[in-house]
Amino acid sequence: MVATFGTLAGMEEDDEEGITNLVHDTFTPLSAFSFMAFTLLYTPCFAAIGAIKQETNSYKWALTMCAITLVTAYIVAFLIFQVGGLAGFA
């Protein structure tokens, strides 16, 4: 994820200090924790989706799994950010 942010910002791969500053300036500790929770819970790679489709022999279950994981990730990240903000971690 860090390298992706660096690429999107147009930084060189060996510019570790610039990427570190970019991430530090982009995220607060609370938003970084929320982002981390979201990325750990959201839809897995396309290979996993394909395996679910292959095993269930239906796109319905593969798409259902995508929807459930995206909604779960959003709710968890939202709750972490909101509760953390109310607790004074913002």
Side-chain angles (χ1 to χ4, degrees):
M1 295 301 292
V2 174
T4 302
F5 285 132
T7 301
L8 291 173
M11 295 181 177
E12 295 294 323
E13 187 174 318
D14 58 351
D15 187 15
E16 291 181 23
E17 185 175 322
I19 293 174
T20 302
N21 290 335
L22 173 70
V23 172
H24 186 268
D25 293 341
T26 303
F27 291 106
T28 65
L30 182 58
S31 66
F33 190 66
S34 296
F35 181 73
M36 182 177 64
F38 184 85
T39 57
L40 289 171
L41 293 171
Y42 77 123
T43 305
C45 64
F46 284 110
I49 297 168
I52 292 170
K53 191 269 178 202
Q54 194 74 17
E55 292 289 327
T56 61
N57 209 15
S58 169
Y59 281 108
K60 175 184 142 188
W61 288 111
L63 294 175
T64 300
M65 185 274 313
C66 289
I68 289 170
T69 56
L70 279 172
V71 169
T72 301
Y74 182 81
I75 290 171
V76 169
F78 180 81
L79 288 174
I80 288 171
F81 191 78
Q82 295 302 318
V83 171
L86 289 173
F89 293 112

